[in-house]
Amino acid sequence: MTEIRLYNSKTREEQDFTPINPDNVRMYVCGPTVYDRAHLGNARPVVVFDVLNRLLRHVYGDDHVTYVRNFTDVDDKINARAAEMKAAGDARTLEEIVRALTDETIDWYHADMDALGTKRPDHEPRATAYIGQMIAMIEDLIAKGHAYAAEGHVLFAVESYKNYGALSGRSVDDMIAGARVEVAPYKKNPMDFVLWKPSSDDLPGWDSPWGRGRPGWHIECSAMSHELLGESFDIHGGGIDLQFPHHENEIAQSCCAHPEGGFANVWMHNEMLQVEGKKMSKSLGNFFTVRDLLEQGIPGEVIRFVLLRTHYRKPMDWTETKVREAEATLRSWRRLTRGVEPGNVSETEVAPLYNDLNTYGTIQRLRAMATAIEKGIDTPEGPVSVEDFLASAQLLGFLLPEMGAWAETPDLQPYASRLAELRVSAMETKDFSAVDEMKAALVAAGVEVRMSKEGVELVPGPDFDPAKLEASK
């Protein structure tokens, strides 16, 4: 079995991955708060951990991996969006609007992430289905002296957990000085965070020992991961923006509630995303959702390729140039593998993937592999086959059959016949302007035009764009 090495944010070093139980490798990834479309930055961890999920299943077996990613469907942002809808004339109760809004947003999320070729996790728990487990965990934390009730709220006592700050490498004093903490008279320490808070009659809420209310954000993931994966599991993932305070708080409350367990052994965080070298933001006009890109005609497979061509622990820059390069590469790979059935993953070619999920290095190996196949030569790692190339690319979620409709090449024969007719006519009239015009349009569409005594042959090139073919008619 090939050894997987992963960078552990908790230990700040790469280490060999040794699962607690190889027959049940367990991974939890923080999912979305469902009140709006997922933007491109939201998609990066989904795609990154989809690759890790595929790799784990490749190594340990499909039936020996349990992957959990949650939906946060109780949150102040959701309530605010629902209130806007009600103020705009929606006649339903706020709770009815919240349920409809979260249902719709989850459907959007599934459609958009499916379009990127990601496998759905084994479990996708909704926070509202685990309120009972959250209340039980909060009661246990109070009983153990790690939490306290105050004015309808329940707060975690940060000072009760001596290792608080270890994940992010900060001391409590530094956090207080540098963080925007909610100042409230009922807090014993400014860094204490909410486990439970009261709900007014018009807001979603549940009965609890502390009155009608709703959970804080952090307790949700702790309760759901414990219920589905146990007191100790292998990998916890998410964006670097979640490391503090969300993941720090998860560790504190989980380790205090279940001191006999280790919570997550390996913590993994992907870096943030930029657009053309700038932070993505609505104010800069460079903010877009995954659905925006799909509706612009950028295939999901191309989006996936761009996201994976940068190592997950490096900031990723989305550019138009990378989109064009990704589309050209995937078109050529799909032409190369047309009609081919996948063989076996070439472990030597995908070796970078085992080294902290180095997708960039693996893509470079795949490029070299494709070139070698086209030229009929060996790679530096040895002989390769197109069947094994296909299987290796599919390990990264590329060249999947269900993802390839965008790259299907239309029948170019009608265009070749038309150009041949124009050529015959031009030979008689000595006016080649129509021939030159159609040829120029074909070339602009990425088509290589080959004319000889035998006739006209049209070959789609690496930059082939079917949408531009209309101009050549």
Side-chain angles (χ1 to χ4, degrees), residues 114-135:
D114 288 353
L116 302 185
T118 62
K119 292 175 176 283
R120 295 194 188 181
D122 300 286
H123 302 281
E124 294 183 288
R126 293 175 67 135
T128 51
Y130 290 80
I131 299 296
Q133 289 87 340
M134 296 175 204
I135 291 173

Side-chain angles (χ1 to χ4, degrees), residues 135-371:
I135 291 173
M137 182 176 280
I138 294 170
E139 288 182 303
D140 185 47
L141 287 169
I142 292 174
K144 291 175 178 174
H146 295 293
Y148 58 94
E151 298 183 22
H153 295 74
V154 180
L155 296 107
F156 183 87
V158 166
E159 290 181 342
S160 74
Y161 180 58
K162 64 179 181 179
N163 292 325
Y164 191 80
L167 179 68
S168 55
R170 313 180 192 187
S171 69
V172 173
D173 289 341
D174 288 340
M175 292 181 210
I176 294 173
R180 296 178 180 177
V181 295
E182 180 187 1
V183 178
Y186 48 78
K187 283 189 176 185
K188 295 180 180 179
N189 183 307
M191 289 304 298
D192 291 350
F193 57 88
V194 172
L195 301 175
W196 190 264
K197 55 188 172 183
S199 285
S200 57
D201 292 340
D202 61 328
L203 289 175
W206 292 262
D207 292 333
S208 80
W210 319 284
R212 185 174 181 277
R214 59 194 190 277
W217 174 32
H218 314 299
I219 195 68
E220 297 175 10
C221 288
S222 286
M224 289 185 284
S225 62
H226 177 261
E227 182 71 14
L228 295 169
L229 299 178
E231 296 161 355
S232 301
F233 55 93
D234 298 295
I235 299 169
H236 194 312
I240 190 66
D241 56 317
L242 299 180
Q243 186 180 51
F244 179 84
H246 184 51
H247 290 164
E248 197 77 74
N249 292 351
E250 275 190 75
I251 291 173
Q253 61 203 10
S254 293
C255 289
C256 288
H258 307 289
E260 65 279 9
F263 196 38
N265 282 356
V266 178
W267 285 83
M268 296 178 66
H269 296 94
N270 64 274
E271 261 292 350
M272 304 302 287
L273 178 140
Q274 299 176 327
V275 177
E276 302 288 352
K278 297 179 180 179
K279 181 180 178 181
M280 186 169 70
S281 70
K282 292 181 179 178
S283 62
L284 294 176
N286 66 352
F287 178 94
F288 40 80
T289 66
V290 172
R291 182 52 48 178
D292 290 335
L293 295 175
L294 294 171
E295 291 180 349
Q296 289 170 20
I298 301 176
E301 187 175 30
V302 171
I303 298 171
R304 182 185 185 93
F305 192 101
V306 176
L307 291 173
L308 292 179
R309 62 171 284 175
T310 301
H311 191 278
Y312 79 93
R313 285 197 294 114
K314 294 183 178 180
M316 190 239 132
D317 192 18
W318 174 273
T319 69
E320 289 298 323
T321 298
K322 289 179 181 178
V323 171
R324 290 194 297 271
E325 290 175 350
E327 183 169 342
T329 297
L330 287 169
R331 281 192 186 281
S332 67
W333 286 4
R334 284 198 170 272
R335 283 198 300 273
L336 181 66
T337 57
R338 185 172 290 122
V340 173
E341 291 297 322
N344 298 309
V345 170
S346 173
E347 298 296 344
T348 56
E349 300 299 338
V350 303
L353 204 58
Y354 290 87
N355 184 16
D356 195 29
L357 215 63
N358 184 356
T359 53
Y360 170 78
T362 307
I363 287 173
Q364 293 302 96
R365 290 275 186 94
L366 289 172
R367 288 184 193 273
M369 198 175 180
T371 299

Side-chain angles (χ1 to χ4, degrees), residues 442-465:
L442 287 166
V443 171
V447 178
E448 182 182 344
V449 180
R450 302 173 182 173
M451 293 192 290
S452 65
K453 292 179 180 179
E454 286 72 30
V456 175
E457 182 184 8
L458 302 181
V459 180
D463 297 323
F464 176 61
D465 184 353

